[in-house]
Amino acid sequence: MTSPGLPPVADWLESFSELPGYADSAPGTISRAETGAYIVTLTLHINEEAYLGRFADTTEVG
């Protein structure tokens, strides 16, 4: 992820808990690009709920 200012990583991690299939998340690194933007790496784990219905067959029979 990138951010023009100092990123609110704790807020980002907390907001992920609202996503379907969220299992957990962890911060990684924060660095600054030559352009001044902040670059954030983090880990987001998902569970089987993230896939529920995503690959369901939607073709109609008949």
Side-chain angles (χ1 to χ4, degrees):
M1 302 176 80
T2 60
S3 176
L6 191 58
V9 176
D11 293 340
W12 291 351
L13 294 174
E14 186 176 324
S15 68
F16 290 148
S17 66
E18 298 173 17
L19 296 172
Y22 171 84
D24 66 13
S25 56
T29 61
I30 299 175
S31 60
R32 198 148 188 205
E34 289 181 17
T35 62
Y38 289 87
I39 301 169
V40 179
T41 61
L42 49 87
T43 302
L44 175 64
H45 292 120
I46 59 174
N47 60 33
E48 66 277 353
E49 290 179 32
Y51 299 105
L52 290 178
R54 179 135 196 283
F55 300 104
D57 185 6
T58 58
T59 57
E60 292 185 28
V61 177

